[in-house]
């Protein structure tokens, strides 16, 4: 007698940035069925997805899926198929007897069964799985990972900052001098040349959100003809007030003391980043104190493929491409803050 409830289950989806929700669906399917067909959406679906510029290509999504199947010892019981529509192989494979879905995809399963019955095929048993939630009790979705809100396990990046100030420990001061990204060399005396080189790099990242942290970086980019989507400034450079840069009375300022990351500017930066994903109007955040360490929350809360630029004194501009890997690195550093 078979230990499996079903002979052949299918489960479909984009399977981008394989996360805890995907793993829950796949685990259920392989527990219940002798064989599982995993149907993965083709690249032609890409334009329908939020933050599509950072959606992995079909070949990479399938590669990561193969790696997971191998890690779980599921490979010999699995078939991976390409989805060019939501029916996929379900209308041609009569050996399928069940489909794993969520409440959101139930209507697709109903249509699949309608077509199967019309073709004189047996309808699929619907196995409805609950959603896996992130730490903020919202559904874990690939779009939220691409959007920079959460990691693959559903950890909320914004939640790393909490409701009290985080202070930079002395033990980290030396290690933070190491740039988090590519250094575009330059000096205080030649900011325009450095800015032009940075702009050439930015142009390679079409449709990416660009965040500049620091007055000199922001002003040099603007002087060279480029306005970042978000600028975080404090009207100071190297802890000295910039000459002729009086803060306008209409500026709303957020206190952030030197060597700290304060909750209020982080909260406002989060809202500004979310707003910038739907509006191209440039936005400026003015800090009363020091803005340097706000590059950390900018990296953690920005969508994947965003660019965060900050200055390194007499070395140039540091350009950070926001990836899952750099978010992990910054998260690890942030956990050492006091």
């Amino acid at each position: 007698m078979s230990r499996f409830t079903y002979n052949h289950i299918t489960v479909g989806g984009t399977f981008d940035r394989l996360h805890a929700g995907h793993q829950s669906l796949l685990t259920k399917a392989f527990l219940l069925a002798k064989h599982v067909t995993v149907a993965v959406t083709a690249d032609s679906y890409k334009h329908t997805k939020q933050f599509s510029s950072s959606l992995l290509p079909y070949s990479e999504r399938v590669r990561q899926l193969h790696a997971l199947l191998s890690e779980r010892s599921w490979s010999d019981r699995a078939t991976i198929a390409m989805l060019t529509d939501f029916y996929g192989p379900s209308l041609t494979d009569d050996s399928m007897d069940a489909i794993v879905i969520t409440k959101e995809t139930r209507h697709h399963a109903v249509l699949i069964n309608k077509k199967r019955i019309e073709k004189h095929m047996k309808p699929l048993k619907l196995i409805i799985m609950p959603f896996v939630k992130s730490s903020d009790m919202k559904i874990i979705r690939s779009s939220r990972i691409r959007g920079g809100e959460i990691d693959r396990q559903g950890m909320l990046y914004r939640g790393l900052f909490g409701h009290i100030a985080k202070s930079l420990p002395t033990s980290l001061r030396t290690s933070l001098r190491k740039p988090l990204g590519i250094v575009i060399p330059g000096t205080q005396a030649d900011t325009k040349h450095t800015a032009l080189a940075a702009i050439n790099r930015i142009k390679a990242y079409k449709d990416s959100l660009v965040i500049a942290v620091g007055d000199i970086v922001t002003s040099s980019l603007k002087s060279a003809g480029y306005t970042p989507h978000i600028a975080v400034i404090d009207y100071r450079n190297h802890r000295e007030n910039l000459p002729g840069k009086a803060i306008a009375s209409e500026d709303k300022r957020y206190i952030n003391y030197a060597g700290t990351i304060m909750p209020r500017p982080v909260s406002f930066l989060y809202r500004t980043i979310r707003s910038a994903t739907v509006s191209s109007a440039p936005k400026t955040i003015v800090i009363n104190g020091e803005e340097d360490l706000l590059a950390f929350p900018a990296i953690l809360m920005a969508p994947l493929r965003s660019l965060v630029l900050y200055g390194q004194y007499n070395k140039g501009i540091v350009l950070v491409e926001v990836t899952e890997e750099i978010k992990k690195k910054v998260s690890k550093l942030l956990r050492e803050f006091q």
Side-chain angles (χ1 to χ4, degrees), residues 5-30:
T5 307
Y6 301 98
N7 179 58
H8 188 176
I9 279 178
T10 185
V11 57
T14 306
F15 294 101
D16 182 50
R17 319 276 171 179
L18 284 171
H19 54 65
H22 293 136
Q23 293 185 35
S24 175
L25 291 174
L26 292 168
T27 298
K28 186 70 171 181
F30 281 98

Side-chain angles (χ1 to χ4, degrees), residues 199-214:
I199 292 167
N200 283 334
R201 293 266 190 175
I202 291 169
K203 286 178 180 177
Y205 290 82
K206 189 179 179 182
D207 300 325
S208 291
L209 181 71
V210 178
I211 305 173
V213 180

Side-chain angles (χ1 to χ4, degrees), residues 37-283:
T37 291
V38 185
V40 182
T41 56
D43 285 335
S44 56
Y45 272 82
K46 184 173 181 177
H47 71 281
T48 68
K49 303 296 181 180
Q50 193 176 17
F51 302 108
S52 60
S53 65
S54 57
L55 194 151
L56 296 172
Y58 176 82
S59 58
E60 178 59 20
R61 287 181 278 130
V62 168
R63 187 196 69 77
Q64 292 188 13
L65 190 52
H66 273 303
L68 177 66
L69 296 175
S70 177
E71 178 188 313
R72 300 290 181 87
S73 300
W74 292 336
S75 296
D76 59 347
R77 296 166 48 210
T79 298
I80 296 178
M82 180 185 285
L83 270 180
T84 55
D85 57 39
F86 65 81
Y87 294 109
S90 65
L91 299 186
T92 57
D93 194 334
D94 202 29
S95 71
M96 292 179 180
D97 46 12
I99 182 170
V100 176
I101 57 173
T102 66
K103 289 180 180 178
E104 287 183 343
T105 55
R106 186 181 185 279
H107 64 290
H108 284 163
V110 169
L111 291 173
I112 286 170
N113 275 343
K114 183 179 178 181
K115 285 284 188 182
R116 282 177 68 93
I117 291 168
E118 288 173 0
K119 292 168 68 70
H120 305 290
M121 300 169 74
K122 62 187 176 185
L124 301 175
K125 175 71 176 178
L126 308 187
I127 303 165
I128 302 177
M129 289 289 291
F131 290 111
V132 178
K133 304 291 184 68
S134 57
S135 57
D136 60 353
M137 298 310 295
K138 295 180 181 178
I139 299 168
I140 297 176
R141 302 181 188 276
S142 298
S143 58
R144 294 186 69 203
I145 298 170
R146 295 192 299 272
E149 292 184 69
I150 59 173
D151 69 8
R152 297 191 188 198
Q153 300 308 310
M155 182 199 72
L156 188 70
Y157 290 116
R158 183 185 176 189
L160 290 172
F161 298 95
H163 300 291
I164 59 173
K166 287 189 170 290
S167 299
L168 175 66
T170 305
S171 59
L172 274 183
R173 292 182 184 274
T174 301
S175 60
L176 285 187
R177 293 193 185 107
K178 184 178 179 181
L180 292 169
I182 299 167
V183 178
I184 301 167
T187 64
Q188 294 286 95
D190 189 19
T191 57
K192 186 173 182 180
H193 180 270
T194 312
L196 288 170
I199 292 167
N200 283 334
R201 293 266 190 175
I202 291 169
K203 286 178 180 177
Y205 290 82
K206 189 179 179 182
D207 300 325
S208 291
L209 181 71
V210 178
I211 305 173
V213 180
D215 294 73
I216 300 301
V217 171
T218 300
S219 61
S220 59
L221 287 173
K222 287 182 176 181
S223 295
Y226 181 85
T227 300
H229 299 100
I230 300 173
V232 184
I233 61 174
D234 61 8
Y235 293 110
R236 290 158 65 87
N237 177 47
H238 211 55
R239 300 192 178 179
E240 297 290 337
N241 291 330
L242 290 172
K245 294 287 184 179
I247 299 178
S249 60
E250 65 270 19
D251 281 337
K252 185 164 184 178
R253 290 170 281 172
Y254 294 87
I255 295 173
N256 196 77
Y257 299 125
T260 68
I261 301 175
M262 306 286 285
R264 283 201 69 206
V266 168
S267 180
F268 186 70
L269 178 58
Y270 172 81
R271 296 196 302 272
T272 304
I273 289 172
R274 301 274 72 81
S275 172
T277 63
V278 296
S279 169
S280 60
K283 299 164 179 65

